[in-house]
Amino acid sequence: MEKLFGTDGVRGVAGTFPLDANTIRTIGRSLATRMAAKLGRPPRLVTGRDTRESGEWIERAFYSGAAVADAVCQSAGVLTTPGVAFLTRKFDFDAGIVISASHNPFEDNGIKIFAPSGKKIEESAERLIEQDIQEARDQPADLISRELDRSELTRFHDAYLDYLAGQFPNLSLSGKRIVADCANGAAGEFAPKLLRRLGAEVVYINNAPDGRNINSNCGSLHLEGLQAKVVESKADLGVAFDGDADRSLFVDESGNLVDGDATLWMLARFFDDAGELADHAVIATVMSNIGLEIALGSRKIKLLRTAVGDKYVLEELLRSGASLGGEQSGHIIIPKKSLVGDGLMTMLFVLEMMCEKQNSLSELVAGFTRYPQTLVNVKVAEKRPFESVPAIAEIVRSIENELHGTGRLLLRYSGTENLARVMIEGKDQAAIEDQARRVADVIRASLS
């Protein structure tokens, strides 16, 4: 059976399998039917989406499938991924469905499903949906027209903003100037409102979504514009979101990047000083810079690494009882607040640290030194285990000998795209870039 759910739900080019209308209807029907059988009643579902032009027809197709099981569906319209997870829990929905491809270009889209706990649904449930998709591929689709129910949209959006502001009741941003890059995505309505509500002066950029410009040369993957705007505006900091705002990256007052690793370093010290860093540990992934491990070690804080994906970070947070985890890309998870990475909440934590410590962002980051790191993506036709390909195994041994304990080589496949990722850290940027190129050339020759 074909595996369709990756580390972040089902994702692909909108309009093609598995994100064609018939398959989306099957996903809606499968989820609603199986939940109805388990609950003994029609399920209550809430949907939210980012600003991609395909989002609304995908939402309608999902509604059409869920209608087969008489599911009660309510739309939250354009809303962040963590916002949908919050609504699912707050308003006692049986599941929350996010229609988004996060940081991917507008042509892509995706579907991820949250349980009321805030966690993504179990893999066993995903396998059952995949089974239903496989069985339905050659069958005519059940067609039930269903209009989107947007009657609670304002209430939903207000509840999410109230929740975020309510987590920081003593935070006043009066006198702070903040540049927010909304990535032409789901943060566009919420980030400026939230910051102004707390008293900040807000300069926002990339907040005119047209369905196709989401993540386009903006947001958390393209920080150059934000860096320039922060310096030009003499702002205290800049924040950049991705398309669904489950991650955020920062720019300090001088225009320097503050990535997820640096954010973990700041938060770890903040929690540690308050006696709230459980087990004196931070959870990160294999992609986190070795500089984070060294900085945390200076405070006798352990860094525990997982596979790449916020799903795996969350699993380890729940297993270990740790209170802080995240990814270099800007996903930060603080379980006592939310089981989902929330770029807006991370932003508020950073601002709270600045206000409470009366430090600039650059002063808060002090003590963390990022080692030179390079990442090369290689398109592949198949995802064979790297160690099973002799040429790749040989070049890996050669590069590891060259690094000789002064750096790291990490090979992995993307969970959402046909890409091999080559990451190398070391003392010299030019040397690691040459090493990464050599590894990438061998992978390209072997797997493309």
Side-chain angles (χ1 to χ4, degrees):
M1 183 172 67
E2 185 176 1
K3 190 173 185 293
L4 301 176
F5 282 84
T7 57
D8 211 16
V10 177
R11 196 175 288 186
V13 177
T16 67
F17 182 81
L19 285 178
D20 57 288
N22 280 347
T23 304
I24 293 163
R25 280 190 284 266
T26 300
I27 293 172
R29 174 177 59 79
S30 173
L31 177 68
T33 301
R34 290 185 178 278
M35 291 192 78
K38 185 175 181 180
L39 295 168
R41 60 169 172 80
R44 296 181 66 248
L45 308 176
V46 62
T47 56
R49 57 186 173 85
D50 66 24
T51 57
R52 293 163 210 273
E53 64 180 12
S54 59
E56 189 165 328
W57 71 254
I58 290 175
E59 191 175 19
R60 290 180 183 276
F62 180 91
Y63 267 41
S64 175
V68 174
D70 295 321
V72 178
C73 299
Q74 289 186 288
S75 174
V78 174
L79 183 62
T80 69
T81 286
V84 175
F86 163 75
L87 294 181
T88 307
R89 180 175 70 253
K90 169 72 173 177
F91 293 99
D92 297 320
F93 286 101
D94 298 304
I97 295 85
V98 178
I99 298 163
S100 173
S102 188
H103 57 279
N104 285 24
F106 86 91
E107 295 92 345
D108 292 347
N109 217 321
I111 296 174
K112 45 191 170 184
I113 305 168
F114 288 93
S117 65
K119 293 176 63 178
K120 291 166 190 167
I121 60 171
E122 299 291 334
E123 287 190 20
S124 57
E126 294 175 345
R127 300 292 84 78
L128 291 173
I129 294 173
E130 288 169 348
Q131 178 182 317
D132 290 342
I133 292 171
Q134 186 65 34
E135 292 173 356
R137 284 195 74 170
D138 299 322
Q139 299 175 9
D142 297 311
L143 295 176
I144 297 179
S145 178
R146 178 76 73 88
E147 286 300 312
L148 299 181
D149 180 357
R150 297 190 178 97
S151 61
E152 296 291 326
L153 189 147
T154 299
R155 181 182 176 216
F156 288 160
H157 289 194
D158 288 348
Y160 179 48
L161 284 172
D162 288 346
Y163 162 71
L164 288 169
Q167 298 302 301
F168 301 85
N170 300 317
L171 179 59
S172 171
L173 300 179
S174 178
K176 295 289 186 190
R177 180 177 296 160
I178 298 163
V179 182
D181 183 342
C182 300
N184 293 312
E189 175 186 345
F190 302 96
K193 279 186 178 180
L194 182 61
L195 289 167
R196 289 197 182 102
R197 175 171 173 169
L198 296 171
E201 178 187 346
V202 187
V203 178
Y204 56 82
I205 60 176
N206 301 310
N207 195 17
D210 62 11
R212 295 186 165 217
N213 60 0
I214 186 171
N215 301 315
S216 179
N217 296 313
C218 61
S220 61
L221 292 183
H222 304 278
L223 291 161
E224 300 84 3
L226 177 63
Q227 290 172 304
K229 194 68 174 180
V230 167
V231 174
E232 173 194 321
S233 304
K234 295 182 171 56
D236 294 284
L237 87 162
V239 56
F241 304 99
D242 63 339
D244 65 337
D246 61 354
R247 70 173 74 175
S248 53
L249 294 177
F250 300 92
V251 170
D252 73 16
E253 69 280 4
S254 299
N256 299 308
L257 167 65
V258 177
D259 66 4
D261 285 344
T263 303
L264 284 172
W265 162 241
M266 291 187 291
L267 285 168
R269 286 193 301 163
F270 190 56
F271 288 3
D272 193 33
D273 289 344
E276 297 177 355
L277 190 65
D279 198 29
H280 233 53
V282 172
I283 312 300
T285 77
V286 291
M287 288 300 292
S288 278
N289 193 279
I290 196 171
L292 174 61
E293 194 166 346
I294 292 168
L296 291 173
S298 71
R299 292 278 301 239
K300 296 183 169 52
I301 298 171
K302 297 174 291 187
L303 180 67
L304 307 178
R305 295 182 183 269
T306 74
V308 173
D310 60 316
K311 172 181 178 178
Y312 301 114
V313 172
L314 177 59
E315 286 177 357
E316 183 59 26
L317 281 166
L318 296 177
R319 188 202 67 77
S320 67
S323 51
L324 174 65
E327 298 186 277
Q328 188 183 62
S329 60
H331 280 112
I332 305 295
I333 303 177
I334 302 166
K336 72 175 182 179
K337 297 291 187 182
S338 173
L339 300 184
V340 185
D342 189 329
L344 290 165
M345 185 175 288
T346 301
M347 173 188 71
L348 294 181
F349 265 112
V350 169
L351 289 166
E352 183 181 53
M353 285 188 284
M354 290 176 65
C355 292
E356 187 171 314
K357 301 288 187 182
Q358 296 189 333
N359 288 146
S360 66
L361 187 54
S362 61
E363 289 170 336
L364 288 175
V365 175
F368 168 73
T369 301
R370 185 183 298 103
Y371 273 48
Q373 183 184 77
T374 189
L375 175 66
V376 178
N377 293 320
V378 184
K379 288 186 177 181
V380 295
E382 55 179 332
K383 295 182 178 180
R384 291 163 58 192
F386 295 114
E387 64 274 11
S388 72
V389 183
I392 297 175
E394 182 179 347
I395 190 66
V396 166
R397 284 192 296 270
S398 175
I399 297 301
E400 286 179 340
N401 285 336
E402 291 177 21
L403 291 170
H404 194 57
T406 62
R408 290 195 306 145
L409 164 62
L410 175 68
L411 300 184
R412 68 178 186 89
Y413 289 112
S414 166
T416 58
E417 301 171 88
N418 284 332
L419 293 175
R421 304 198 194 278
V422 182
M423 190 278 285
I424 300 184
E425 291 173 347
K427 292 183 175 180
D428 181 82
Q429 187 70 41
I432 63 174
E433 287 178 0
D434 176 68
Q435 291 163 336
R437 177 191 56 76
R438 286 153 53 198
V439 175
D441 287 344
V442 173
I443 291 174
R444 192 174 293 110
S446 302
L447 299 178
S448 295

